[in-house]
Amino acid sequence: MADTMQGLKRTHYCGEVLPSLIGETVVVTGWVQKTRDLGNLVFIDLRDRTGIVQLAFNDGTQREIFEKAAAARAEFVLMAKGLVRRRESVNTEIPTGEVEVYVDDLRVLAKSQTPPFEIVNDTNVKEELRLKYRYLDLRRPVMQNAIMMRHKIVKVARDYYDNNGFLEIETPILIKSTPEGARDYLVPSRVHPGKFFALPQSPQLYKQILMLSGYDRYMQIARCFRDEDLRADRQPEFTQIDLEMSFVDEEDVMTVNEGFVKEVFHKVLSVEVKTPFKRLCYDEAMSRYGSDKPDTRFGLELVDLSDLLKNCEFKVFAGALAEGGSVRGINVKGAAATLTRKEIDKLTDFVKTYRAKGLAFTRLTAEAESSSYEKFLTEEEKTAIRTALGAETGDVLLLVADSKNKVVFDSLGALRSHLARKLDLIQPGTFDFLWVTDFPMYEWSEEENRFMAMHHPFTSPKLEDLDKMASGDLGHVYARAYDMVLNGTELGGGSIRINDPDIQSKVFSALGFTEEEAQERFGFLLNAFQYGVPPHGGMAYGLDRLVMLMLGKDSIKDVIAFPKVQNSSELMTMCPSAVEEKNLRELSIAVTATEEE
C-alpha cells in the first residue's frame, strides 16, 4: 500500500531549492529521475516541472527511510522532507547543483512500472511511441518547457489586448455549417434528427456580428476545427489568437498587432523586435521569392527571364512562354563545388513534387562549365541570362519554365528554401517579420472550375477595383488583406471586412452564389447587415505556430499537449472510435461499414 501525504505539505518546488535555503527544512515532491545506490549512501534525483534536486540518504538516516530510498525506481512518485545542505560534489549543470536535501521523512506516494522510454530530453524513440504514451512524454523537461511557454504567451496576449481596450468574448463551438473553404467537422443533432451542427473553422462570422453589436474591440483564444490533410504545422483542431476591431483601416490593425508581437517576444524571450515591420505586396513577394509567405533571411531571389527569351527557339522555354507562362531562375552563389551533377539530379526530383517538368542548370566551376540548356540558346541569350542572374565563377544557375506561373513560383519558391537549409544560409536564432499585403481577392480553382475567395467571402475588395469586379475581371481584383509572416511561415492573417450589404451581395454573386444560396448559407449575417455595420477588420494568429516558431521547433505537435497524427487520430486514447448502437439510434443515424480492399 502506498504512503500518504498526511502530515506533510509541499513547501518548495524542486527547482526552487537553492543555496539561499541552506540550513532550512523543506518538503519537496516529484518523480524519481535517477537513483544511485552506493551501499551506505543513496542519492535520488527528484524531478518536477521546475527542475531536479538531489535527495541524500546515508548510514545516519533512519533505516526504514533508507530502505525506501534504496528501493525507489525511475518514475516513482515521492514526497521528501529534510534539511537543505551544501553538496560535497557540486553539479554545475543544474541550478540546484550546489545543494541537496538530507531526508528525514520519505513517502512513496505511487510506484511505477519501467517506462517504455527514458524521461529525458534527448530521447531517440519514435514519435509514435511518444504519442502513445503522451502522459510520459509530457514529463520530459523539453515538453514541459513548451507547454509552460505556451501558457506565458497566452497570458501576455490576454494582458496586452486587455490593456489596449479589447474584450475577451467566447463564441459558440456548435455552429451552422457554411461550407466555403476547408471541410467542416459535422456534429449530428439528437433533438433535430437529420440535421447537423458544424465545428467552427474560425469565429469569423460571430466576431463580425460582435462588431455590429457594438463591441468594437474583441479578442478570444479560440478553438478551431478543419477536416483537412495534416502537415507539420497543421492539426484538425488548433488554437487561434483571434481579434476584431471597429472603425479601423489596415494601418490600425497592423500597428496594434506589431505591438503585440513586440511585447510577447520581449516578455517571453527577452528578444527585442524592431517595428514597423517591412512590407511586400503579394505580387512582389511572388515575383521575388515565389511565395506569399517568403523567408527573407537569405537571398536566392527569383529573376524573371521571360523577356530575354521571348524569341528563344529552345522548345522547353519557348513552349512555356507561348502558353502564357514564364521562365525564371535563381543563382546559388558559390555553390558549384557543393551542387554536383548528382545533387542537381536530386534537386530536379525535388521540384517535380511541385509539378515542375524539370530543372535547367548551369554550373560555373573554375575548371569547366556545364549546362543542360545553354547549347540550345544563341550566344546573346546565354549572355543575357548570365548577366540577369549576376553569374560568376563558382555559381550554379537553376531555371524552371512552365506554362503556368503558379508551377514556376511554387517550385522555385520551395527550392530556394530547401537550398537555404541545405547550404546553411540561415543565421540561427533570427526572427524576420514582414507583412504581405494586397492579396488577390479571388483565385482560380481548377478543381471547381471557378473563381474562389482567396481568404474568405467577407474580405473587402479594394475600392478602386469594384469596377473590375462588376465587369467580371475577377483575376485583377485585389483585396484589403494582409498576412504577418515570420521566417517563411504565415503567423497570422486578416483583412478589412465588407460592411456594405451591396458590396457583400456583389462578392457572393462573383463567387457564383445565387441570392437564394447566399441567404441559405449566410442569411443571418446578411440580415444583420441591414441594421448598421461599422467599418471593421481584424486578424487571427495561429497560436500553435507562434509557440513553435518562438521555441525553434519543427512541428506544432511539439507544442500541443495532446496532438493528432497524420490521419487525424490520437494514439493515446485511440480516437476516433466506434460508438454504441443505441447512441446512433438516438441520433437517427445508420452506419454502413466498408472493408478496405
Side-chain angles (χ1 to χ4, degrees), residues 83-129:
L83 184 70
V84 180
R85 67 184 187 185
R86 191 172 299 277
R87 287 175 60 162
E88 291 185 8
S89 178
V90 173
N91 182 351
T92 59
E93 296 182 0
I94 57 175
T96 63
E98 294 183 47
V99 298
E100 64 187 10
V101 179
Y102 181 55
V103 178
D104 59 37
D105 191 351
L106 181 67
R107 313 282 179 90
V108 179
L109 303 179
K111 295 182 179 181
S112 171
Q113 297 180 14
T114 301
F117 52 85
E118 190 178 2
I119 311 301
V120 293
N121 282 340
D122 57 353
T123 181
N124 59 0
V125 299
K126 291 183 178 180
E127 182 183 70
E128 289 80 4
L129 185 64

Side-chain angles (χ1 to χ4, degrees), residues 27-51:
V27 179
V28 291
T29 60
W31 286 260
V32 174
Q33 180 69 32
K34 182 169 58 177
T35 300
R36 299 183 298 284
D37 188 343
L38 305 179
N40 63 340
L41 289 174
V42 172
F43 297 104
I44 293 176
D45 286 349
L46 193 68
R47 183 195 71 243
D48 65 16
R49 65 183 173 93
T50 66

Side-chain angles (χ1 to χ4, degrees), residues 182 226-238 293 490 544-545 548 554-557 560 563-566 568:
R226 294 178 187 174
D227 186 4
E228 57 187 353
D229 295 333
L230 306 189
R231 298 190 304 243
D233 60 348
R234 180 181 287 173
Q235 285 276 299
E237 52 181 322
F238 56 97
K293 45 183 181 295
E490 179 193 333
D544 313 301
R545 292 183 186 180
M548 177 185 75
D554 295 324
S555 168
I556 59 173
K557 289 199 289 290
I560 297 173
K564 305 291 191 293
V565 294
Q566 189 72 25
S568 297

Side-chain angles (χ1 to χ4, degrees), residues 349-486:
D349 292 336
F350 177 85
V351 298
K352 285 181 178 178
T353 64
Y354 294 88
R355 297 192 299 164
K357 297 179 179 65
L359 183 66
F361 73 89
T362 296
R363 292 181 68 242
L364 303 173
T365 64
E367 298 77 21
E369 297 180 357
S370 59
S371 177
S372 64
Y373 64 90
E374 287 186 348
K375 63 184 177 182
F376 302 107
L377 305 182
T378 66
E379 194 64 31
E380 291 76 12
E381 290 167 341
K382 168 184 167 181
T383 300
I385 288 176
R386 291 191 179 191
T387 301
L389 290 171
E392 299 174 312
T393 300
D395 295 349
V396 177
L397 313 182
L398 300 173
L399 282 63
V400 171
D402 199 272
S403 59
K404 296 179 180 178
N405 283 326
K406 177 174 171 49
V407 172
V408 178
F409 287 140
D410 287 352
S411 55
L412 282 178
L415 179 62
R416 65 179 293 273
S417 295
H418 174 72
L419 286 170
R421 292 188 293 270
K422 179 180 178 67
L423 301 175
D424 294 324
L425 302 181
I426 301 172
Q427 182 179 349
T430 56
F431 296 102
D432 186 49
F433 290 92
L434 64 107
W435 290 103
V436 176
T437 64
D438 302 329
F439 281 80
M441 183 79 175
Y442 304 99
E443 60 182 344
W444 181 258
S445 169
E446 294 183 3
E447 183 179 343
E448 296 280 340
N449 196 34
R450 67 180 178 94
F451 278 106
M452 299 183 69
M454 178 170 273
H455 285 80
H456 53 66
F458 315 105
T459 297
S460 174
K462 285 187 168 292
L463 300 182
E464 59 267 30
D465 290 342
L466 289 177
D467 290 343
K468 296 176 185 176
M469 194 166 67
S471 66
D473 186 14
L474 301 185
H476 293 91
V477 178
Y478 286 85
R480 299 179 68 182
Y482 36 81
D483 279 358
M484 183 187 290
V485 177
L486 171 57

Side-chain angles (χ1 to χ4, degrees), residues 333-361:
K333 301 293 292 184
T338 304
L339 297 183
T340 63
R341 180 59 190 272
K342 183 178 181 180
E343 288 297 322
I344 291 175
D345 288 342
K346 293 179 182 178
L347 298 179
T348 301
D349 292 336
F350 177 85
V351 298
K352 285 181 178 178
T353 64
Y354 294 88
R355 297 192 299 164
K357 297 179 179 65
L359 183 66
F361 73 89

